[in-house]
Amino acid sequence: MEISELAFELGANVFGVADLDEIKGYPVHPENLLEDFKYGITIGVKLPDSIFDLLPESRSLYSRYYTVANDLLDNIAFRLSRYIEKEGYKALPIPASKIVDGLYWSSHISHKAIARAAGVGWIGRSLLLITPEFGPRVRLASILTDMPLEAGKPAKNRCGKCRECIDNCIAKALRFSEFEDYPKRREEVLDVDKCASKLREFAADPNKGTMVCGICIKVCPWGKKK
Ligand code: B12
């Protein structure tokens, strides 16, 4: 069985492979994280459209399925890693949503960087990974491996003149910036503090309890029913 077939069987809705040379220079943690690995597998699960279409009223629902999606992604990444090891290769699953302490709102590696390099989508003006099929309505995880796989080609930005995310961000945290593949600095596009404080506001609400907002996801035309 192909590893992509197994991923879809386990519940993934998006699958791709990136040659890690494509993200050479990206600040990973720890620094030698990529040493043993040649490829980055990207997996994504799609959240139900209604969760986003009914925002902001549905934010407590989004809060619950945000966690369900993370758990499913971590489960799929865990089981794919076992499959890769049984095939005699190395595999390191990276959790869907883990902020590494001490790093300014960063993690071990950027799932979006791997997904873009794999060609499953592009980095949009919301700074989110936009897929042609589901827009940004997917959550991501990654598996690093030395298993010989066929890598995809990085995807080009297809946001065009659209700025729905920027104009509708309730924290006014998004800035307009012209970039083809990805902004050299995250801060060119996203005021992290403004976004994070809005998320903290929602997380403080007992009916929600997790750092979710979702408006930049809701308004993206690529995610809306065609
Ligand atoms: C820390 C974090 C946050 C922080 C900081 C945001 C940020 N973008 O860094 C805060 C709390 C603000 C946040 C907010 C949100 N987050 Co968040 N977050 C993360 C987390 C845990 C780490 C991200 C990280 O390391 N950032 C560091 C910066 C530098 O990298 P980056 O933003 O990931 O992407 C940059 C690089 O990839 C770069 N790049 C791409 N290719 C290459 C190649 C090279 C060589 C280089 C140098 C750079 C580069 O381009 C990107 C833009 O600069 C990731 C999970 C993960 N491990 O990736 C989830 C993640 C990015 N978040 C996610 C989501 C959904 C959100 C929210 C919508 C929350 C919500 N659910 O309502 C908001 C949206 C904010 C926005 N519009 O970006 C999803 C995005 C899914 C998607 N389709 O894109 C992720 C992937 C979680 C998941 N498992 O799906 N988040």
Side-chain angles (χ1 to χ4, degrees), residues 30 33-34 37 39 41 77 81 84-85 90-95 108 142-146:
L33 182 76
L34 302 180
F37 307 111
Y39 298 104
I41 294 171
S81 299
I84 292 169
E85 282 193 343
K90 289 194 180 78
L92 180 62
I94 307 289
H108 298 283
S142 308
I143 302 114
L144 307 176
T145 185
D146 61 350

Side-chain angles (χ1 to χ4, degrees), residues 136-213:
R137 298 182 177 201
V138 288
R139 293 191 64 75
L140 303 165
S142 308
I143 302 114
L144 307 176
T145 185
D146 61 350
M147 178 187 244
L149 294 166
E150 199 184 324
K153 287 263 163 294
K156 280 278 168 259
N157 190 311
R158 296 166 65 185
C159 288
K161 296 250 166 297
C162 178
R163 42 178 302 140
E164 285 294 318
C165 49
I166 297 168
D167 297 344
N168 290 282
C169 171
I170 55 176
K172 298 271 170 279
L174 290 170
R175 306 180 180 109
F176 185 87
S177 161
E178 283 295 1
F179 59 88
E180 183 51 39
D181 39 20
Y182 54 86
K184 293 298 166 273
R185 282 179 337 97
R186 164 181 66 182
E187 285 65 21
E188 261 178 53
V189 171
L190 180 70
D191 180 324
V192 172
D193 292 335
K194 279 186 179 168
C195 179
S197 47
K198 181 55 74 178
L199 295 180
R200 282 214 178 101
E201 204 184 295
F202 293 133
D205 175 337
N207 291 328
K208 302 183 181 87
T210 53
M211 291 184 68
V212 294
C213 167

Side-chain angles (χ1 to χ4, degrees), residues 22-27 62 66 70 73 94-99 105-113 116 123 126-130 136-141 174 182-183 185-186 190 192 195-196 199 211-214 216-217:
E22 276 294 332
I23 65 167
K24 221 181 217 47
Y26 182 82
Y62 179 24
Y66 164 96
N70 286 345
L73 282 162
I94 307 289
S97 201
K98 176 136 184 48
I99 291 168
W105 291 112
S106 287
S107 186
H108 298 283
I109 195 165
S110 163
H111 294 318
K112 294 183 288 183
R116 188 195 76 83
I123 304 278
S126 57
L127 211 60
L128 294 172
L129 191 279
I130 316 290
R137 298 182 177 201
V138 288
R139 293 191 64 75
L140 303 165
L174 290 170
Y182 54 86
R185 282 179 337 97
R186 164 181 66 182
L190 180 70
V192 172
C195 179
L199 295 180
M211 291 184 68
V212 294
C213 167
C216 53
I217 299 177

Side-chain angles (χ1 to χ4, degrees), residues 2 10 19 63-64 73 84 89 172 185 195 223:
E2 284 295 309
L10 293 172
D19 182 328
S63 169
R64 172 62 192 139
L73 282 162
I84 292 169
Y89 299 99
K172 298 271 170 279
R185 282 179 337 97
C195 179

Side-chain angles (χ1 to χ4, degrees), residues 7-8 10-15 42-53 61-62 64-73 76 96 129-141 217-218 220-226:
F8 290 123
L10 293 172
N13 307 112
V14 171
F15 178 94
T42 182
I43 53 173
V45 295
K46 181 187 175 302
L47 281 80
D49 286 321
S50 306
I51 283 182
F52 296 107
D53 297 341
L61 293 170
Y62 179 24
R64 172 62 192 139
Y65 291 101
Y66 164 96
T67 307
V68 169
N70 286 345
D71 293 348
L72 174 57
L73 282 162
I76 297 169
L129 191 279
I130 316 290
T131 62
E133 194 180 357
F134 307 126
R137 298 182 177 201
V138 288
R139 293 191 64 75
L140 303 165
I217 299 177
K218 172 185 180 174
C220 177
W222 286 92
K224 291 187 175 167
K225 268 279 152 290
K226 308 292 181 281

